[in-house]
Amino acid sequence: MKIGKKPVNVFKVKNRRGYAAICDECLTEGDTKEEAIDRMVKAIARVERKILKK
């Protein structure tokens, strides 16, 4: 899966009940794969806004 041009890895976390997503040095967690991906989209947007401010 990709967000823009960045690859996203989504996987089941063994010692937790949900899923995690990793992309561009960001880690998000959610109860479902979709929730983890939605949170990742928000995290990537935050990082990009922070970079553009500089």
Side-chain angles (χ1 to χ4, degrees):
M1 158 154 248
K2 289 189 174 191
I3 296 176
K5 294 181 179 180
K6 301 175 183 181
V8 178
N9 295 328
V10 181
F11 56 92
K12 176 81 171 109
V13 182
K14 286 187 179 183
N15 62 344
R16 296 181 186 253
R17 71 172 190 209
Y19 290 85
I22 298 178
C23 175
D24 200 28
E25 297 183 4
C26 294
L27 172 70
T28 59
E29 294 181 356
D31 289 335
T32 64
K33 289 181 181 180
E34 292 79 18
E35 185 178 8
I37 292 168
D38 288 342
R39 290 180 178 188
M40 181 57 68
V41 170
K42 293 176 187 176
I44 294 295
R46 258 192 319 272
V47 169
E48 289 179 352
R49 275 196 313 265
K50 197 179 274 190
I51 290 171
L52 290 177
K53 277 188 171 182
K54 291 184 178 180

